[in-house]
Each structure stands twice: as C-alpha cells, then as structure tokens.
Amino acid sequence: QDNRRLTEEERGDIMESLKTIDQRSRSLKEFVQNFRNLNQVPEPRLEKVEVNELIRESIALYTKDLEKAQVRLNMRIPERQFIFADRNLTQQVLINLIKNALEAMGNMKEGKHLELGLTHEGNRFVQLHIRDTGQGISPEEIDQIFIPFFTTKKGGTGVGLSISKQIMQKQKGDISVQSQPGKGSVF
C-alpha cells in the first residue's frame, strides 16, 4: 500500500501462501479429473486374450519394485488359457490390483508374498485371484473400498478400485475381496 519493500518474513509468508494455493488447485484439478474418469469408463472391445500373457505384461511393469521390496512372486496361471475381454481395460485393472498389493506390503520387513492364480468356475468362467500378505483390510472398511473416493491410503484418491469394478462389470465380470487384518487380502 505504501510502496514499501516487503521484509524477508513477509516474502516467505507470501511464497508459502502461493505454494499452498498452487497445491490446493492441483488437488482440486485431480479431484475433478478423477470424478470425470469415474463417469467415462469406455465401452470394452472384447477380444480373445491369453491370460498368462496379459498377466506377464502387467507384472513386467513392477519387476524392479518386486525385487527392491523383496516380494516373492508366485504365478499359477496355466498356459494357453483364454478369456474374452478388453485387453487394455483388463490390464488397467490388473495393474491397479498389483500396485495396491505392493502398497499393502510396503511397511513389512519380511514375509512378502504376491500370488496370482487362476481357477475355473464352471464351464464358462475363470476366476483370477491376486493374493498378498499385506496389512489386510478391516471389516469396517471392506464394505466401502469399491465406493468412489473412499480411501485408506494417505494421498490416495479412492478411485482405483471403483473404476476397476466398473471396468469388470462392463465386461460381464466382477471384483470381490476377502481380507483379514494382518494376514493380507485376496482380490
């Protein structure tokens, strides 16, 4: 107001305020984008997909993370097992579930195991399970984890599992979970 120079303390306060405004703006922008993504899950283009190949491609993105975190990987997926699915959308679901499993085991020192397996459900369906030995999910939270914007992770957006469920349902599939706190989860 008086055309005077700002003190160092005032400059620091202004810079801190600007950083806070910038951070909140980015958070709001991310929130809006995540909300839009929930409503814009594309229609799946179903094709014959080899499950083992799809899983290996998804796991390949996390090879270094698995080694660094000393996670033992066990895959029980038969060769030449095919499903009709949208390759890209299904891979997005797998990547999200693998990422979540790794994060659930993040604070553990030992006993980290990630298992991917496939079983047949009758003649027409297969069930792929992703099992981790992470922290597990409490009974109070397990009923909410597929609800948009519900999250148990610091800095999480709460849209990954919700979008994954929508993707699977659009392909006539589904996602369910079983979990015990301290013993891990199976999706």
Side-chain angles (χ1 to χ4, degrees), residues 68-97:
K68 184 178 177 184
Q70 298 177 330
V71 174
R72 194 175 84 204
L73 176 64
N74 182 18
M75 291 183 30
R76 296 185 299 121
I77 312 293
E79 297 288 335
R80 312 292 302 155
Q81 177 65 56
F82 294 93
I83 59 172
F84 281 94
D86 183 300
R87 173 182 280 284
N88 294 330
L89 290 175
T90 305
Q91 190 165 48
Q92 181 179 338
V93 171
L94 290 171
I95 288 168
N96 185 55
L97 293 175

Side-chain angles (χ1 to χ4, degrees), residues 34 37-38 41 92 159-168:
N34 287 332
N37 287 344
L38 276 175
V41 173
Q92 181 179 338
V159 296
L161 287 174
S162 178
I163 290 174
S164 294
K165 189 166 186 80
Q166 284 185 49
I167 288 170
M168 292 310 299

Side-chain angles (χ1 to χ4, degrees), residues 64-172:
K64 295 242 187 282
D65 295 320
L66 290 165
E67 289 172 6
K68 184 178 177 184
Q70 298 177 330
V71 174
R72 194 175 84 204
L73 176 64
N74 182 18
M75 291 183 30
R76 296 185 299 121
I77 312 293
E79 297 288 335
R80 312 292 302 155
Q81 177 65 56
F82 294 93
I83 59 172
F84 281 94
D86 183 300
R87 173 182 280 284
N88 294 330
L89 290 175
T90 305
Q91 190 165 48
Q92 181 179 338
V93 171
L94 290 171
I95 288 168
N96 185 55
L97 293 175
I98 293 166
K99 176 179 153 288
N100 286 353
L102 288 173
E103 288 174 356
M105 296 183 284
N107 293 331
M108 297 172 59
K109 301 256 187 267
E110 56 187 30
K112 300 179 202 178
H113 302 281
L114 179 63
E115 176 184 285
L116 287 86
L118 187 128
T119 57
H120 290 271
E121 298 291 319
N123 292 331
R124 295 188 54 207
F125 300 99
V126 295
Q127 183 180 70
L128 173 65
H129 71 264
I130 299 175
R131 179 185 317 268
D132 67 64
T133 56
Q135 62 194 15
I137 304 165
S138 74
E140 299 81 32
E141 295 170 336
I142 204 158
D143 292 332
Q144 300 178 61
I145 62 171
F146 294 108
I147 296 173
F149 304 109
F150 176 81
T151 184
T152 59
K153 299 181 208 169
K154 185 177 180 174
T157 61
V159 296
L161 287 174
S162 178
I163 290 174
S164 294
K165 189 166 186 80
Q166 284 185 49
I167 288 170
M168 292 310 299
Q169 288 176 336
K170 279 193 167 198
Q171 298 183 86
K172 308 284 189 260

